[in-house]
């Protein structure tokens, strides 16, 4: 069989408060929330799902409720919740990107393994990396 045409359209993040986390990424990236749902009947007020879409329409980030969500530990620690995926976010100015992300609710991770990248943590603890990207 020949490989069918495929493309990655985005990622889905688990969260304890998905709509709030989607709001963080909406502010951080300027990507609008294009759909949201929840809470479902019988579920807590934090239950829900939301989708953000890039302005170009070519990428999405979905955030879904996970009742047993545990924030990943950065850097990894044996026996603790590991980071399974992270976002790389290109910025025109690294220092300005860190300030902006912090103003939106992110925190600068204590461990910074590279001089030219800043590891940030979103409000739910997911790491994401800011790096200088000349094309931004």
């Amino acid at each position: 069989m020949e490989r069918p045409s495929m493309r990655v359209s985005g990622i889905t993040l688990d969260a304890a408060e998905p709509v709030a986390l989607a709001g963080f990424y909406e502010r951080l990236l300027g990507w609008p929330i294009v759909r949201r749902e929840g809470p479902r009947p019988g579920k807590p007020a934090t239950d829900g799902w939301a989708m953000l879409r890039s302005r170009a329409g070519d990428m999405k980030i979905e955030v879904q409720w996970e009742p047993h969500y545990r924030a990943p530990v950065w850097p990894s620690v044996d026996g603790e919740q590991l980071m399974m995926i992270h976002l790389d976010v290109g910025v025109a100015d690294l220092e300005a990107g860190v300030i902006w992300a912090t103003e939106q609710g992110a925190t600068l991770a204590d461990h910074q393994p590279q001089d030219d990248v800043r590891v940030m943590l979103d409000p739910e603890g997911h790491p994401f990396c800011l790096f200088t990207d000349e094309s931004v």
Side-chain angles (χ1 to χ4, degrees), residues 43-120:
K43 300 291 183 185
T46 55
D47 174 51
W49 167 88
M51 179 195 299
L52 301 101
R53 175 95 38 206
S54 69
R55 298 225 178 256
D58 59 343
M59 290 285 297
K60 68 173 176 68
I61 297 174
E62 294 182 44
V63 188
Q64 67 184 10
W65 183 63
E66 170 51 57
H68 304 291
Y69 176 76
R70 288 190 311 151
V73 174
W74 171 255
S76 64
V77 174
D78 189 34
E80 297 293 329
Q81 178 62 49
L82 301 176
M83 170 182 66
M84 300 297 287
I85 192 169
H86 72 273
L87 299 176
D88 284 337
V89 179
V91 295
D93 178 307
L94 187 56
E95 184 177 330
V98 169
I99 292 167
W100 176 253
T102 302
E103 288 176 352
Q104 304 318 306
T107 56
L108 185 65
D110 290 335
H111 180 64
Q112 298 293 324
Q114 295 173 250
D115 292 336
D116 58 345
V117 174
R118 292 297 173 270
V119 179
M120 307 294 296

